[in-house]
Structures are given as C-alpha cells and as structure tokens.
Amino acid sequence: MCYHGKTLFFCRKSREMRNGGKFMEKVSDYFGSLVFDDRVMKANLSDRVYKSLKKTIDEGAKLDISVANAVATAMKDWAVAHGATHYTHWFQPLTGITAEKHDSFISPSPDGGVIMEFSGKELIKGEPDASSFPSGGLRATFEARGYTAWDPTSYAFIKGKTLCIPTAFCSYGGEALDKKTPLLRSMEALSKQAVRILKLFGNDSVKCVRTSVGPEQEYFLITKEMYDMRPDLRFTGRTLFGAKSPKGQEMDDHYFGVIKPRVAAYMEELNNELWKLGILAKTEHNEVAPAQHELAPIYTTTNIATDHNQLMMEIMQKVAAKHGLVCLLHEKPFAGVNGSGKHNNWSLTTDAGVNLLSPGETPYENAQFLLFLCAVIKAVDDYQDLLRLSVATAGNDHRLGANEAPPAVVSMFLGDELNAVLEAIESGTPYAGAEKTQMKLGVNVLPKFNRDTTDRNRTSPFAFTGNKFEFRMLGSSNSIACANMMLNSAVAESLKIYADRLEGAEDFENALHEMIRKTIKDHKRIIFNGNGYDDDWIKEATENRGLLNYRTTPDCMPHLLDKKNVDMLTSHRVFSEAELKSRCEIMLDNYCKSVLIEANTMVDMARTQIAPAIEAYTLKIAKTAAAKKALDASLACRYESELVKKLSVLTDRIWEKVEELEKAVASLCEAEDIISQSYEIRDNILSKMSELRASCDEAETLTDKSYWPFPTYGDLLFGVR
Ligand code: ADP
Ligand code: MG
C-alpha cells in the first residue's frame, strides 16, 4: 500500500518501469496543463472577476483595473505553483519570429527576503525597449519606446520557467509594430460586416463572427551532426549547394509511409509538449519528399491559431534538438525535391457556432451560404495581389511556381458540383443536378456536396473543401497572421459592399439574387478547376483572363501601396497608411537581407571549403598520375589527366563566379532605395548565385566523397535512421 513517502516513491517507480522508463498519464489529464485557460480561470477567480474577464474576452469590453489586479494575482499564483519564476509579454514583431523579455516576479520584502508579485498594470501593459525591432521608419531609434498590450483572447501559458502573456506590440504613437494587432483589427472588421449580413437574414441574436484556421505545417527533419557541418543550413536554413541525390522522391515511397522509430519518438514527444500547451496537435504523417513530414492541429480562432502556430514552430525545433535532430522550417531546404508549405484552412463561424461556409439545410440558409461564398470569390479576385504578397518571402519565392507548389497566380477551386450551381445561377438555366431544377435563391435547396469531389484538387492555391477554404500558398516558415489579415480584410470589404446594397434594397430576395449573379459574372475568371501546375494554365490565366502573375517578392510587395489596397485596408482600420508604408519597407528589407546572407554564405563556402577540397583532390589525382608514369612512362593515365582537366576548369569557373557574385553584392549597397535593391537581387544576384552553385554541384559529382567538405543531399535526405 502506498501510504508513506517511501512506498509512494516505490509505487511510482514501478509504474515508470512498466512504461518503459516513462511516467505515463492520460492525455486528457495533462492537456492544457501549462495554460491559464478557462478551466483554471473558473477555478481560481471569484465569480465577479471571472464574469468580467469573460465579457472582455468574448465581447471586447474594457477591463477594469481591479479585475486586472485580481487576474494578475491568480495568474502569478498559478504560474508559481507550476514552477514559474518569471513572466514575459510574448509578442510577434515584424522579424517573423516571436519575442520575449523576461522579468522575474520577485520583489524585495522588508525582512531582506523576497515575495512574488505581479500587478494588473504589469499584466496589461509592458514597455520593452523596442529600438532593435524593425519599424520601417515608424519609430526613430531615439524614440525607442514601444509598448505591449495584453490580448486576453489568447490564453497565457508557461514555457520553461516563464509565464508567457500573449500581447500586441505598438509604438508610442499607437502604430502597430507587430503581426497580431492588424490581425485582430481584421477579425473585428470582418465580424462587423458579417454581422450586418446575418441581421439581414433575420439573425438578430448574433453578436460576432469569428474566423477559424487550421494550419497544416510541413517540415524536414535531418540529423544534428550533419546540420552542424553545413554553414548554409546554419546561416540560411536552406542548402545553397548540393548535387542531386541518386534517389529523391521519384518513387513516391515516403508520402504517408511508415514513420521511422526515431521520427516517431520525436513526434510523440512533440505532441506531448504541444498538448501541455493546449495546442490541438492532431494529424501527423510523412510528406512527399524524403525526410519531410507534416503536423496539423485541429482548427481554432485565428488569433489563437496564429499564436499556437508560432509556438508550435518553436517547440518543433526545441524537441528536435533533444533527439539529436534539426527541424528545418525553410520553404525550400533542398533543390529538386518538394519544398514545405503551410495550408491555411479557413472558415467563418458565428458566436453560436454556425459555420457560414457550410451549405445549410434550408433554402434560406443556402442563399446565405452562397452570399458568403460569393464574398470570398469577389475578395480573392479583387485582392489577388494582397493575397500573393501576404505570403511573399525570399524563401517562398523558391517554392511558388516550382512543380510541387501552387503557382504564383492566385485562382480558386470550387469543385464541379458547386461550379455547376454557380453557372446555373449566372445563366438562369436549370441546374443539371439530380433534380434538374431552376436555381432560385431562397427557394431551392442546394445539393449536398460530397467532400470527395470538393477536395480532389491539390494544385489550386485557394480551394473550397466542403465547409472551408484552404489557402495553400503560405510558406512553411511564414507566420499565418499576414495571410489571414489580408484575407479577412478583403472578405470584409466584399461583405460591406453587399450589406450597403442589401440594407437599402426594396425587394431583399431579388436584390440578393441579382448580386450573387453579378458577382459570379464579374469574378468567374478567378475560378479554375483544372490542374494549376500546368504551364497552359499560366498562359490562359495571364493572357486570356488577365489574372496577376507576380513571380517574386519584389514583383508583388510594392503593390501593397497601390491606391485600391491602401483605401480598402485603411477604410476598415486594419492599417494606417503609415503602417502600410513601413510594412512594405520591412518586408522588402527582409527579402534583401535574407538573399544577401545567402550570397555571402555562398562566397564563403565556395572559397574556403569547396575550392580547397577540389584542389586537394585534383592534386591527389595529379600525384597519382605522376607516380604511375614514374613506374611506367608508356601509361596514358587518361582517367587522371581528364579528371584533372575538368576539375581545373571548374575551379577556375568557381573562382570567377565567386568574384562576380562578390562584386554584385558590393555594388548593391550603392542602390539608393530598397525597391531598386530588391530588383537588383531579383535580376542579378540570384542568377549569379545559381551559376556559382551549378559549377560547385558539378564538381561535387566528380570529387571523391571523402574530400567533400560537407554531407551530400543523399546523406541529408536519408540520414535519419
Ligand atoms: P486535409 O486537408 O489534409 O484533407 P482536413 O481537411 O481533415 O485535412 O483538415 C485540415 C485542417 O483543416 C485541420 O487543421 C482541420 O482542423 C482544419 N479544419 C477543418 N474544418 C475546418 C473549419 N471549419 N475551419 C477551419 N479549419 C478547419
Ligand atoms: Mg490540406
């Protein structure tokens, strides 16, 4: 019996033994154990404080300082009981990763000791020295102060020994310096317009509409030993050199394949860590490329999904390190095999839990569904440029338009059934479904869409998948905030136009029908149900349909400041004009810096590792030939002399290309503004980088492997055993 400490220890130990050295608990017992969630709030706050906080969370009501103090104390007590000693305002600056500055809870007590303290003021507002975060000119460095403001809709959590409080990050003038602020604003804008529409359909009880997202995250796992040997992976997250491995993904034997024990152990620990943080990690499988995997959580409200995705990416890397692995989140870590994306599954749900993108049971609900569907169609067509640029990074430029990812042209897939319904509405002809009925909104019931027919197309950038849309252009390392703030804003704009029109209509049903018809007519060019990877489609899209094809970040990013985009985003108060200017500058600056780091890394690797390795091997071959000839002067030594010749030509070419690249990088610094710098990179530097790579990769295929200074593609892609 376990009635005193010693026996208890023994009992626990024997249980550990039974479970292969691990103490096992049920997932439901520890799910969310590191989160200050609703269950914890209910248990630790007085009824008055809890209700008041809930009002703030659910309805955005202002928070009273006495309530904030009570919440702060409860949060601190709970965190300290879980071993926390510090707290941080956790935020997402425009660097793309999360930031935190830790403060301990300690406060001196008169008796020389300390007490643990945390006030409502400290919970609500923080003042990090913001001077080193990118602001794109919004805040001069001497005006370094920015502040963080608590986002009570995303739960606080414990990471290590620190209580993390999700916050928004602004300058003292109130301009957003982060990704969360505009995301929250876009959610509010969308909710406002969607509620107007729902009221028109007689839903008087709706208070708000939320967007939900389930992001499917792709990643690569490689061994830490090999990673450490490659400066390109360490400095840039992707390989800048590497000849093709004899085997790649051509056998399709990795996708959904058996998960190797080492990877399975990683996934198990990762799930546990994510579950403790209340992240609904659900699906995991091997992806198409060797060493590539995917993890998808169950969807949740967009700002929480964004926080969770950032946290997930961080934990994925931390857990990998514990397993002697490295998790690569770059969009294109290896040339020649698939890159990694992040599918953004997105839908709209009322506060009563009704999914507005799900076809309903009654004709009236169907008309409402079609209206929301049309709002998305119109939004995607009108703001193709914003959607494209919301996923633009130097890394994702290598993926979009490569053969495994959606092209850089934005289009939508609806599936045959829904498409037939829309065509019938547009032309006023009978819908050729089972009953061959004339589609009259508000009268006919829509057919039930078979999920299989809506989910078949894997090549579309923006696909309807039965009750949600899947935006597939996001890169694996992107924060999902950017794509969602643009998507939400664009849809808010469509809904606003609809609501303005319908609120003033004399005959609601007629006006509704006409509006849906007009949307289909005006925007059907964006709908494409064929193969998005096909070259013919790009021709058709750009030449006949007039769709945009922004292939690179410098091509699309400046369009953030196009008048129509600025007007739309400022009218919904998602961004101010100054914020947009600063963002455009920061995104282009990130692009330029990322590529320049790559270029410098290439110069360094080629000069100090690759060329010397080829030289050493060439010398060995030359010496072998000389030794052979000394033994027998009649030997031709063709193998040696041809190889020496080939390698010498390649070394010279590498030398030349390194010089050219270095010169191009040096002259870039003279370009006067960031846009011309980015064009110079797009048109000149990137091609010089590929030329240098081509010579080095060719040399790799001719050089004795034992001389090559770092692991090859074959080693990296098939190294985790
Ligand atoms: P797949 O795209 O691989 O077929 P699923 O469609 O099952 O996989 O789900 C992919 C993601 O979509 C998951 O994260 C899931 O939680 C999310 N998802 C499902 N329904 C919705 C919804 N209504 N809104 C947003 N995301 C959703
Ligand atoms: Mg998917």
Side-chain angles (χ1 to χ4, degrees):
M1 267 169 61
C2 312
Y3 52 83
H4 61 76
K6 207 168 164 192
T7 345
L8 240 182
F9 175 71
F10 174 75
C11 284
R12 166 138 180 205
K13 204 163 172 207
S14 63
R15 200 145 53 125
E16 281 176 11
M17 309 272 280
R18 273 205 306 276
N19 289 310
K22 261 189 254 162
F23 178 60
M24 295 291 202
E25 282 176 288
K26 279 202 305 238
V27 176
S28 53
D29 291 343
Y30 62 87
F31 183 85
S33 58
L34 297 178
V35 185
F36 192 75
D37 61 15
D38 201 54
R39 298 173 299 181
V40 186
M41 290 182 202
K42 233 184 223 148
N44 292 287
L45 298 172
S46 72
D47 206 35
R48 180 187 73 86
V49 171
Y50 174 76
K51 280 201 179 117
S52 172
L53 179 61
K54 273 300 262 184
K55 229 173 140 54
T56 303
I57 293 173
D58 295 340
E59 296 163 35
K62 209 169 161 0
L63 198 72
D64 188 80
I65 186 70
S66 72
V67 173
N69 279 329
V71 176
T73 304
M75 228 185 231
K76 180 258 303 170
D77 290 345
W78 168 82
V80 169
H82 282 76
T85 52
H86 287 66
Y87 71 92
T88 180
H89 276 200
W90 186 74
F91 58 102
Q92 297 164 32
L94 295 165
T95 49
I97 47 172
T98 56
E100 42 196 80
K101 174 190 144 216
H102 299 183
D103 279 301
S104 74
F105 289 121
I106 62 163
S107 173
S109 63
D111 59 4
V114 289
I115 50 166
M116 304 299 256
E117 258 185 1
F118 186 46
S119 70
K121 215 172 128 246
E122 287 166 313
L123 166 65
I124 292 176
K125 193 167 167 181
E127 297 191 15
D129 175 354
S131 56
S132 298
F133 292 110
S135 78
L138 273 182
R139 177 187 20 66
T141 14
F142 58 85
E143 243 283 22
R145 287 184 314 163
Y147 68 91
T148 48
W150 179 33
D151 167 17
T153 60
S154 181
Y155 298 135
F157 56 90
I158 295 171
K159 205 169 49 146
K161 288 187 170 297
T162 304
L163 169 69
C164 298
I165 300 155
T167 54
F169 179 43
C170 299
S171 76
Y172 250 84
E175 290 106 348
L177 295 175
D178 68 348
K179 303 201 174 189
K180 174 165 251 185
T181 309
L183 177 68
L184 289 170
R185 292 176 187 157
S186 74
M187 290 167 71
E188 213 172 297
L190 180 58
S191 176
K192 189 171 150 198
Q193 303 304 332
V195 165
R196 282 177 72 195
I197 297 283
L198 291 173
K199 295 227 147 108
L200 286 165
F201 279 87
N203 182 343
D204 288 324
S205 58
V206 63
K207 286 208 189 79
C208 70
V209 168
R210 293 197 187 92
T211 57
S212 343
V213 169
E216 301 166 57
Q217 176 75 50
E218 292 180 336
Y219 61 98
F220 279 83
L221 279 182
I222 61 167
T223 71
K224 171 93 169 59
E225 298 97 294
M226 291 188 202
Y227 172 87
D228 284 341
M229 292 170 76
R230 299 223 33 153
D232 47 2
L233 285 175
R234 283 191 286 120
F235 295 140
T236 74
R238 74 176 180 111
T239 53
L240 300 166
F241 299 101
K244 231 173 149 265
S245 152
K247 180 177 192 279
Q249 64 189 42
E250 50 284 277
M251 302 291 285
D252 283 333
D253 52 356
H254 194 252
Y255 191 51
F256 282 20
V258 177
I259 298 173
K260 288 177 192 144
R262 190 165 173 195
V263 176
Y266 164 76
M267 288 177 170
E268 186 187 330
E269 186 172 346
L270 176 60
N271 283 336
N272 279 328
E273 292 305 313
L274 295 174
W275 287 335
K276 281 192 232 163
L277 287 164
I279 298 175
L280 295 152
K282 169 89 173 161
T283 314
E284 59 201 18
H285 59 80
N286 287 348
E287 261 298 333
V288 174
Q292 192 185 27
H293 312 279
E294 180 183 298
L295 173 59
I298 297 172
Y299 67 98
T300 180
T301 311
T302 307
N303 66 319
I304 297 172
T306 305
D307 286 356
H308 280 179
N309 185 250
Q310 292 297 128
L311 205 49
M312 192 162 112
M313 291 195 281
E314 184 182 326
I315 308 281
M316 286 167 94
Q317 283 162 316
K318 272 199 185 138
V319 173
K322 283 168 82 180
H323 288 251
L325 300 168
V326 174
C327 170
L328 300 177
L329 290 168
H330 194 283
E331 284 74 19
K332 196 74 179 177
F334 304 100
V337 296
N338 279 9
S340 299
K342 179 143 57 191
H343 292 177
N344 189 82
N345 294 273
W346 174 92
S347 70
L348 289 163
T349 315
T350 67
D351 50 349
V354 177
N355 180 352
L356 298 170
L357 293 177
S358 195
E361 300 292 334
T362 67
Y364 221 58
E365 284 169 4
N366 285 163
Q368 184 182 295
F369 159 73
L370 284 174
L371 188 68
F372 279 100
L373 184 80
C374 283
V376 182
I377 295 173
K378 179 173 163 52
V380 174
D381 188 27
D382 285 342
Y383 297 99
Q384 296 162 46
D385 45 0
L386 286 184
L387 291 177
R388 169 65 186 92
L389 69 87
S390 76
V391 300
T393 57
N396 214 16
D397 281 2
H398 294 290
R399 197 178 73 94
L400 296 176
N403 53 5
E404 83 283 3
V409 177
V410 179
S411 69
M412 288 175 93
F413 169 86
L414 295 179
D416 295 340
E417 282 172 312
L418 195 49
N419 210 46
V421 170
L422 296 189
E423 274 172 8
I425 295 173
E426 189 208 345
S427 59
T429 52
Y431 166 61
E435 290 120 33
K436 289 217 180 258
T437 45
Q438 190 95 17
M439 283 304 297
K440 177 96 176 79
L441 291 171
V443 179
N444 295 119
V445 181
L446 284 181
K448 275 257 165 276
F449 302 113
N450 182 344
R451 224 199 98 108
D452 289 344
T453 68
T454 58
D455 203 19
R456 239 180 353 216
N457 190 310
R458 290 302 195 178
T459 64
S460 175
F462 204 102
F464 182 67
T465 51
N467 62 356
K468 60 180 164 39
F469 277 101
E470 190 167 330
F471 184 26
R472 299 188 175 128
M473 291 171 86
L474 286 76
S476 48
S477 70
N478 284 173
S479 157
I480 62 169
C482 302
N484 284 291
M485 64 181 82
M486 293 309 176
L487 179 56
N488 292 343
S489 307
V491 175
E493 174 68 7
S494 306
L495 293 173
K496 178 178 178 298
I497 292 169
Y498 291 172
D500 287 349
R501 168 86 183 81
L502 290 174
E503 278 169 358
E506 275 174 23
D507 181 337
F508 174 72
E509 271 183 33
N510 258 340
L512 178 65
H513 192 90
E514 266 322 297
M515 221 164 51
I516 290 184
R517 225 164 117 147
K518 187 167 165 12
T519 303
I520 300 166
K521 185 165 170 289
D522 292 349
H523 298 285
K524 66 180 172 196
R525 64 171 187 163
I526 197 79
I527 298 167
F528 175 63
N529 292 307
N531 180 4
Y533 296 176
D534 209 339
D535 286 342
D536 289 346
W537 159 239
I538 304 301
K539 211 163 137 40
E540 148 87 9
T542 50
E543 289 174 16
N544 300 339
R545 302 197 186 196
L547 298 180
L548 300 171
N549 184 14
Y550 294 138
R551 303 221 12 248
T552 67
T553 304
D555 292 332
C556 61
M557 201 52 80
H559 293 285
L560 182 58
L561 302 179
D562 285 359
K563 185 171 178 324
K564 84 170 197 346
N565 294 334
V566 174
D567 286 351
M568 188 278 278
L569 291 165
T570 54
S571 76
H572 289 282
R573 299 179 192 286
V574 176
F575 286 105
S576 68
E577 197 167 346
E579 286 170 346
L580 285 171
K581 281 194 179 131
S582 83
R583 253 153 237 253
C584 182
E585 170 115 15
I586 291 169
M587 299 319 281
L588 284 171
D589 193 50
N590 281 348
Y591 170 85
C592 295
K593 283 184 180 142
S594 307
V595 182
L596 285 182
I597 293 171
E598 291 180 350
N600 288 332
T601 306
M602 285 188 93
V603 167
D604 202 46
M605 284 171 81
R607 265 213 194 112
T608 66
Q609 290 186 281
I610 296 176
I614 306 171
E615 279 292 279
Y617 182 56
T618 313
L619 181 64
K620 184 200 154 192
I621 300 287
K623 275 189 181 160
T624 308
K628 278 180 164 180
K629 281 194 189 246
L631 282 177
D632 181 348
S634 72
L635 287 173
C637 291
R638 267 190 54 217
Y639 166 65
E640 289 84 359
S641 63
E642 292 209 1
L643 193 54
V644 166
K645 209 184 291 164
K646 272 192 180 171
L647 288 173
S648 302
V649 170
L650 281 170
T651 340
D652 285 349
R653 200 179 305 148
I654 290 169
W655 178 253
E656 196 182 298
K657 295 290 163 198
V658 166
E659 296 272 293
E660 279 178 22
L661 180 57
E662 204 175 38
K663 234 182 251 150
V665 168
S667 73
L668 184 74
C669 305
E670 288 150 25
E672 64 272 28
D673 63 273
I674 196 76
I675 295 187
S676 16
Q677 269 194 36
S678 73
Y679 289 165
E680 185 61 21
I681 285 178
R682 176 194 65 188
D683 301 335
N684 191 14
I685 304 241
L686 283 168
S687 54
K688 293 217 159 33
M689 284 164 62
S690 334
E691 285 164 18
L692 172 58
R693 178 181 181 148
S695 300
C696 293
D697 290 359
E698 193 184 338
E700 185 191 326
T701 65
L702 297 172
T703 303
D704 178 343
K705 196 167 187 294
S706 64
Y707 280 73
W708 203 250
F710 24 75
T712 62
Y713 265 32
D715 298 332
L716 291 163
L717 288 168
F718 297 92
V720 178
R721 277 188 284 267

